Amino acid sequence: MSKKYVYLFSEGNENMRELLGGKGANLAEMMNLGMPVPFGFTVTTEACNKYYDDGEKISEDIRKEIFEYLMKLEELSQKQFGDPKNPLLVSVRSGARASMPGMMDTILNLGMNDDVVEGVASLTGNPRFAYDSYRRFIQMFADVVMGLNKAKFEEIIDEMKDKKGVKQDTELDADDMKEMVKRFKKFYQESLDEDFPADPKEQLYRAIEAVFRSWNNPRAIFYRKMNDIPGSWGTAVNVQMMVFGNMGNDCGTGVAFTRNPSTGENKLYGEFLMNAQGEDVVAGIRTPQTIDQLKETAPAAYQKFTEICATLEKHYKNMQDMEFTIEKENLFMLQTRNGKRTAAAALKIACDMYDEGTITREEALMMVEPKQLDSLLHPRFDDAALKTAKPIASALPASPGAACGQIVFTAEQAIEEAALGHKVVLVRLETSPEDIEGMHVSEGILTVRGGMTSHAAVVARGMGTCCVSGCGEININEKEETFEVKGVTYHKGDYISLDGSTGNIYGEKIPTVPAEISGDFERFMKWADEVRVLKVRTNADTPKDAAQAVAFGAEGIGLVRTEHMFFEGDRIKAVREMIVSKTEGQRRKALAKLLPMQRGDFEGIYEAMKGLPVTIRYLDPPLHEFLPTSSYDIAQLAKDMKIDLDELRSVIMGLHEFNPMMGHRGCRLAISYPEIAEMQTTAVIEAAINVNKAHPDWNIEPEIMIPLVGDKAELKYVKDVVVRTADEILKRENVEMKYHVGTMIEIPRAALLADEIAEEAEFFSFGTNDLTQMTFGFSRDDAGGFLNDYYEKKIFEQDPFARVDQKGVGKLIKMAAELGRSTRPNIKLGICGEHGGDPSSIEFCHRMGLTYVSCSPFRVPIARLAAAQAAITNK
Ligand code: PEP
Ligand code: MG
């Protein structure tokens, strides 16, 4: 039997999400649950993939199957496509496996043409409705299928409103709508040099193709990259009989969540508009009413809707986000899905649903997206400063958090300014899906139009970005790059602050304070700790970062990059002295100046970590990174060191390397200058002795890590220096203290020869930044410049520097872990590259049986949850 590419809703169920997409599977499931769902069918994700495999063409077989199902839909609905006496109109909507709100395209009212519209007008006795639906269809079709600019259609509407002297679309009557249809079609014909297609079947076919195409539009690709959604999933297409919310005042449409997506409060939350179509609510063009008001406006539909909400939430064991339409007082469900929510709401919902007995702890843990926790770890406004600040306006608290930054008016400006390291707040009339990248880099988003479920609100909540929406008090002048509120004008570049939890807007900079883990967050993280197998350490170079990481639950430090301390204050002078020294004697003199500073740093870190393990890595980067570059600094150094300026210049020139990343760095430095490793060992061991004396119960055992090793002999050479120096100090001080020497695995050769290296190394830590760099041969400093081309051309979907490339780099990790264990069965294995804080990489580390992951302090809670989820999914 040939493969089936199309399913009626009644043939599917919720477990068929991979094939039918989330929307299709859930529509089918709602139908199975006996809920009022308009009839329809789903063209599968496999059809989408086949469309791409066949060179962006729908094959003849699939085309036939689609039209077969169209006939079935005609039977079920007892309406006919293109029949003016009894017309079937459909919506065509995308639906991927994971929900991607607003990223792909939707077309409503498909099936309209000049004859059908007349039929609809006489059948409903409502010509305004008929022509309004027709003009919307032309507009959407032109935009989605033919790529015509939406703005031109809006211009035509504005012209007509101006001519008539009215402000609202609703003030245009049937004749105006008829005229509008004419003008839209004329514009369509002139722009594309073809007539608007009158054949509903052709309309349908082209619409389905357009939805498949939209799977690869730039914003969908960006969204997928941000949310780890593979391009190979494809999107399904749902073709569904239209029900109309815009047929009169006993009709309406809305969206609602079973719980509050901002706070998690267990109360129905949503918005609706009477006499409107779906896109009016989400596009934020008209400001809607709250769902509570539906109780009075349409009591029967409201009653039914609340019952359905309760059933759906219980059924899916998750907060639901639903779309509905009321047609002549009858309720229809158009969608349900697990609702996007803020991190705070996610935690409250998970804890509440556990307490309500709906879900287990493990199910609760799986309900929160680890990356989302990030938004709870960042600063909030300082209470005292907030009290004295006076809001300039207030609007809807669409996505919580505190944002403070310089005003920008377009997504492009946001991207440009953020690239320069500026913090920006994006101020827009309304946002559209094209703005997603600009929204992503902004501290906060402020919109003039739109409700709590507008695009800006939904997307901002998903990203954990603060958003205040629907601030009608603001007048934006995009040309002048200003906005005005209550007589005061704000310019591009001025600072404003937004409070996404109250909706307040401030025309000033407000200081922020650090976050803390308490309440639901704390309780939830304890559950995660009970379940996870991987330990979570942090990468920290200062006592302050170390303390922050401990507050976030770090169980040790996996990487202290000692060179970072060398840049501080006056130390750089001593470092430079060490580098330009010509003799060992000179170098030792400079190192002697650095010793007390390093020892002090390590003491501070040991104190902050209160006896938790600390891995200290020895000097790693190319030395010339520390050298002065400006003539002034070079002259200053020559003066300080009392050496000849020209001589210093020639030393600096001599240190120049063509490829410093593969140059004189890592253990190679200690091989050339063992006295550096001696000084660092002295600092580590003496610091540990001192702190152990002050806190005998902490029992510190230093972990010394040698970087960039590719051969056992390299490690052995440096290790011998370490052991000799350490043992001498311990003997001199008459102290018994264990210490450990290990290495980073960050050069492919080290992974290949890990069994030999493990003879010397007590532990391995995978330095996946360098390991990725050297495995791919991509410079980690330059790859950003060309990897975008890789994403665009679909050569790569993900940044290998952000997410472990399991196929290649992962193979080396697996091999090194196995080889290491073959020599030293209990070898401690960790990861300290950037990947240590990435949830999908953490899952990989769990499977590889690593002991710990180490990541930056702000990613520690994310890693704790990701490690718990890895343990649950790999049970
Ligand atoms: C690494 O290479 O992954 C690593 C942690 O070291 P660094 O980033 O300091 O090179
Ligand atoms: Mg490295």
Side-chain angles (χ1 to χ4, degrees), residues 181-233:
V181 164
K182 245 198 218 149
R183 291 201 191 187
F184 278 10
K185 282 175 62 183
K186 183 160 172 276
F187 170 65
Y188 183 100
Q189 202 282 332
E190 284 169 0
S191 312
L192 298 163
D193 207 19
E194 63 175 62
D195 286 334
F196 187 78
D199 175 8
K201 282 190 173 174
E202 185 188 342
Q203 294 170 353
L204 178 65
Y205 179 73
R206 286 165 71 175
I208 291 174
E209 230 180 11
V211 173
F212 284 160
R213 251 195 335 260
S214 73
W215 176 247
N216 276 327
N217 71 33
R219 61 178 193 264
I221 292 176
F222 181 78
Y223 187 93
R224 287 206 292 273
K225 187 160 158 278
M226 212 165 76
N227 293 284
D228 283 352
I229 299 173
S232 60
W233 282 3

Side-chain angles (χ1 to χ4, degrees), residues 343-575:
L347 291 170
K348 178 164 167 56
I349 291 170
C351 290
D352 284 356
M353 288 184 93
Y354 170 75
D355 291 338
E356 289 156 17
T358 318
I359 54 173
T360 63
R361 268 192 198 187
E362 293 198 344
E363 284 169 334
L365 284 168
M366 293 307 294
M367 252 167 86
V368 179
E369 176 71 39
K371 279 187 186 163
Q372 238 197 334
L373 298 178
D374 184 61
S375 63
L376 297 174
L377 304 174
H378 290 286
R380 47 185 184 78
F381 287 131
D382 174 62
D383 283 340
L386 197 61
K387 261 196 199 123
T388 60
K390 215 172 147 323
I392 53 169
S394 189
L396 299 171
S399 178
C404 174
Q406 292 172 280
I407 299 167
V408 290
F409 289 100
T410 65
E412 291 74 30
Q413 286 172 3
I415 295 164
E416 274 166 31
E417 295 294 322
L420 298 173
H422 299 157
K423 292 190 162 42
V424 296
V425 172
L426 179 60
V427 183
R428 301 281 284 150
L429 203 56
E430 68 210 13
T431 66
S432 75
E434 285 94 64
D435 293 336
I436 181 167
E437 210 168 335
M439 294 169 76
H440 187 55
V441 298
S442 300
E443 301 297 306
I445 297 148
L446 170 61
T447 70
V448 177
R449 294 179 184 157
M452 297 291 281
T453 51
S454 64
H455 172 262
V458 171
V459 173
R461 277 198 294 274
M463 291 175 176
T465 303
C466 163
C467 175
V468 174
S469 69
C471 185
E473 279 180 275
I474 287 181
N475 295 308
I476 293 194
N477 185 335
E478 281 190 17
K479 268 208 193 104
E480 300 279 316
E481 301 191 324
T482 59
F483 75 75
E484 179 271 330
V485 58
K486 297 193 183 108
V488 183
T489 302
Y490 296 84
H491 299 83
K492 176 173 178 246
D494 288 349
Y495 274 94
I496 56 168
S497 299
L498 305 179
D499 187 333
S501 312
T502 60
N504 283 338
I505 303 157
Y506 302 86
E508 61 194 282
K509 232 175 170 172
I510 303 178
T512 52
V513 291
E516 58 177 7
I517 298 182
S518 58
D520 287 334
F521 195 3
E522 192 179 11
R523 183 177 179 215
F524 186 83
M525 292 314 296
K526 277 204 183 113
W527 295 349
D529 293 343
E530 281 165 24
V531 171
R532 70 187 157 89
V533 181
L534 273 172
K535 295 213 172 297
V536 176
R537 292 198 187 187
T538 190
N539 295 354
D541 310 324
T542 63
K544 184 168 164 263
D545 286 353
Q548 175 71 77
V550 172
F552 285 158
E555 297 165 290
I557 295 185
L559 175 65
V560 178
R561 289 179 165 102
T562 48
E563 59 270 11
H564 286 181
M565 302 157 176
F566 285 178
F567 285 101
E568 272 173 29
D570 248 12
R571 304 170 175 207
I572 190 72
K573 276 192 193 163
V575 176

Side-chain angles (χ1 to χ4, degrees), residues 559 561 563 617 620 665 744 746 766-771 780 832-834:
L559 175 65
R561 289 179 165 102
E563 59 270 11
R617 182 189 66 188
D620 181 44
R665 60 174 287 221
M744 297 189 69
E746 51 185 345
F766 290 99
T768 43
N769 302 333
D770 275 310
L771 192 59
R780 56 196 268 196
C832 63
E834 277 308 293

